[in-house]
Amino acid sequence: MAATTRTPNQERAPRTAHLRRLTFMAFLIVAAVVWIIPMVWMFSLSLTPNDVLQRSTTNILPVEPTLDNFVSVFQVGLTPRWLLNSVIVTGVTTLLTVLLSAMAGYAFARIPFRGKRIAFPLVLAGLMVPREAMFVPLFLMFAEWDQHNTYQALALPRIAAPLGVFIM
């Protein structure tokens, strides 16, 4: 049986790959720590009493942790109503977006109709319009319809999503 000989380059290749992997993992660990420190600090500050926060916010861990801040958010403010509004708008928007996008996607994919070659590129062109460019026109439109502070004004602009039609 003949012995195989390895060249120095072949012996170095696994070590180089291992070193590269270790360097990448070290970078990921540093990035994760840099990302998580503000999160831990924010959560720590939420457990710190307000009178202590007025003196200093530099402690990473609270000296006297308390849940009073969480309790007061739900008792004093309108947070429960805001959460309910978010659930309602998100639920209605998601349901209607999936329903309308699925129907439009099916029509574009399976049903031959006149104007299909024009309509689909127009839907895709909607992907190129930034959302920020639609804020003022949508605001003015809903103001004209007297729909300020309504669920419709929050949900309707998000329902006709070109990306949803394209994905479906």
Side-chain angles (χ1 to χ4, degrees):
M1 179 165 214
T4 59
T5 57
R6 296 180 67 152
T7 64
N9 284 342
Q10 289 173 332
E11 289 178 9
R12 211 174 309 139
R15 276 190 256 146
T16 306
H18 183 67
L19 183 63
R20 243 187 247 141
R21 193 173 318 129
L22 282 176
T23 305
F24 182 67
M25 289 304 249
F27 171 75
L28 288 179
I29 290 170
V30 168
V33 168
V34 166
W35 178 84
I36 204 154
I37 284 176
M39 301 294 175
V40 170
W41 190 16
M42 180 179 60
F43 183 71
S44 168
L45 291 176
S46 74
L47 295 174
T48 305
N50 287 335
D51 57 336
V52 175
L53 285 176
Q54 289 174 351
R55 286 177 283 182
S56 171
T57 60
T58 56
N59 295 342
I60 292 289
L61 296 174
V63 179
E64 345 169 330
T66 180
L67 293 175
D68 288 343
N69 292 334
F70 289 102
V71 172
S72 68
V73 161
F74 286 100
Q75 287 178 346
V76 176
L78 295 172
T79 306
R81 182 62 194 189
W82 296 336
L83 289 174
L84 178 65
N85 288 345
S86 296
V87 168
I88 290 170
V89 170
T90 303
V92 168
T93 302
T94 302
L95 180 71
L96 291 177
T97 300
V98 169
L99 182 71
L100 290 175
S101 295
M103 290 191 302
Y106 181 81
F108 279 122
R110 302 286 182 182
I111 301 172
F113 61 90
R114 195 175 332 167
K116 180 177 176 178
R117 290 180 171 251
I118 295 170
F120 190 66
L122 287 175
V123 169
L124 292 181
L127 290 170
M128 292 184 263
V129 178
R131 255 179 220 252
E132 294 80 9
M134 295 187 290
F135 288 158
V136 172
L138 285 171
F139 174 80
L140 295 174
M141 182 177 73
F142 283 108
E144 186 178 311
W145 294 345
D146 198 30
Q147 292 290 310
H148 285 296
N149 296 325
T150 63
Y151 292 130
Q152 296 89 345
L154 289 173
L156 288 177
R158 291 168 178 80
I159 289 173
L163 183 63
V165 173
F166 179 70
I167 290 174
M168 295 290 177

